[in-house]
Amino acid sequence: MPRNATLLLDLEDSVASQHKARQRSRIIDLLQSGVFKNRKLLLRINGPDNPEEMRLDLAHCLHRDLNGLLLAMINSASDVNEIEEIVTRSEKLRGLEPGHNVFIPLIERPGATLETSAIASASPRNVAMAFGHGDFCLEMDADLSEESVQVARSMVLMAAKAHKLAAISTPFLDLDNLDGFEQENRRMKSLGFDGCFALTPRQMHKALEVFSYTQEEIEQARRVIEAIETQGSIAKLDGNMIGPPMLKRALKIMADIEEEAREAA
């Protein structure tokens, strides 16, 4: 049962300062052409650390074929509130339904990691939280390593789950190491992450595989539900005690499978 891929366009780090206006115009032209119609599409906008470009992005790039915004370099809930005010005005001017654009705050600054819960709850538009390790390690004067990011990444994950948002793990930068990408993201899935950023088509296809429920997971969920229905709220399965937390997890898996089947129909 595959999860869905969302295309992410970028106006931030991958675009040099002198090319941002040209890239913004290209994205506007593409949106107006209808090429993204019926696709899930996000745009990473410039952040509060580059306020002039951020406001230009928000003023010109909102479109009915754009589903939401990846909010780069967010440092506090007030940053999210400011962006929401601008987006709400822009949506109204463009005839879009209020709340058309969802938000994914990208936590990539040390200060932001200390405010993850407030950022996660700052707007009803928030649907996920993401962690970016590159800028985080830069500001920490730290190497790009598991030890450097483990605590901050966990804080983002916990904030997302506490506020019932999805959690997106860090990009995997070794583009030629697909086995490493798979191993890393299977570990992220086991921690509770719901998806990841994919930097190449090969990574994207592997991510869809990794973050989909396996047949073994689906079958185990069915067995958990059956065991508890048969034995009661505390049951035994394969020699292990299972109870309400395992049942809730199993029911969530089955509900997700049903929702994906409806979307595919």
Side-chain angles (χ1 to χ4, degrees):
M1 295 290 180
R3 298 295 178 97
N4 292 319
T6 297
L7 181 64
L8 176 63
L9 304 180
D10 190 31
L11 282 169
E12 201 228 2
D13 270 0
S14 69
V15 184
S17 298
Q18 66 269 27
H19 299 313
K20 287 187 185 291
R22 184 173 63 181
Q23 181 68 1
R24 189 181 298 114
S25 294
R26 286 175 175 171
I27 288 175
I28 293 168
D29 289 344
L30 286 169
L31 285 165
Q32 292 176 346
S33 75
V35 68
F36 298 121
K37 191 175 180 62
N38 300 321
R39 289 208 61 173
K40 290 189 176 182
L41 180 68
L42 294 175
L43 174 66
R44 180 166 72 160
I45 60 171
N46 289 281
D49 61 322
N50 195 353
E52 183 178 347
E53 294 291 349
M54 181 187 80
R55 292 188 178 95
L56 287 170
D57 295 343
L58 295 172
H60 297 292
C61 293
L62 299 192
H63 189 275
R64 67 181 64 258
D65 292 341
L66 179 66
N67 301 108
L69 305 171
L70 183 65
L71 309 184
M73 300 302 281
I74 292 296
N75 211 47
S76 66
S78 62
D79 288 340
V80 179
N81 298 150
E82 178 187 1
I83 293 170
E84 181 168 31
E85 290 177 5
I86 299 171
V87 169
T88 298
R89 292 196 297 269
S90 294
E91 286 176 341
K92 186 174 181 180
L93 287 172
R94 293 174 178 273
L96 301 174
E97 292 184 6
H100 175 83
N101 287 275
V102 300
F103 291 168
I104 301 178
L106 178 58
I107 307 302
E108 50 190 336
R109 311 191 73 178
T113 65
L114 302 177
E115 301 292 333
T116 49
S117 183
I119 292 170
S121 61
S123 170
R125 294 177 185 265
N126 288 348
V127 296
M129 296 281 281
F131 179 61
H133 62 334
D135 282 295
F136 176 82
C137 288
L138 175 65
E139 293 198 19
M140 289 290 290
D141 292 324
D143 293 335
L144 282 170
S145 67
E146 174 64 21
E147 292 79 9
S148 298
V149 304
Q150 185 175 19
V151 172
R153 185 180 60 207
S154 295
M155 291 172 69
V156 173
L157 174 61
M158 286 188 287
K161 298 301 180 175
H163 295 283
K164 302 188 184 309
L165 307 177
I168 302 172
S169 69
T170 52
F172 188 82
L173 303 181
D174 188 349
L175 302 183
D176 295 325
N177 186 2
L178 195 60
D179 289 340
F181 174 87
E182 178 178 4
Q183 182 178 359
E184 175 69 1
N185 281 292
R186 288 199 183 280
R187 189 167 68 87
M188 293 300 103
K189 180 183 176 182
S190 74
L191 293 175
F193 281 95
D194 303 287
C196 67
F197 293 109
L199 303 178
T200 69
R202 293 174 71 226
Q203 283 191 351
M204 179 198 71
H205 291 300
K206 183 57 67 175
L208 290 172
E209 176 187 325
V210 167
F211 286 99
S212 295
Y213 294 121
T214 65
Q215 288 300 319
E216 291 77 11
E217 287 174 312
I218 297 169
E219 181 58 30
Q220 180 67 7
R222 290 184 177 132
R223 294 180 69 228
V224 167
I225 295 169
E226 181 181 356
I228 289 179
E229 286 179 346
T230 302
Q231 302 174 39
S233 60
I234 301 297
K236 182 178 178 181
L237 182 63
D238 298 332
N240 297 312
M241 187 185 78
I242 58 174
M246 295 77 172
L247 176 61
K248 289 178 182 178
R249 171 66 176 164
L251 291 172
K252 179 183 183 301
I253 289 174
M254 299 312 298
D256 287 347
I257 295 301
E258 291 177 5
E259 182 179 354
E260 289 172 2
R262 286 195 298 270
E263 289 179 355

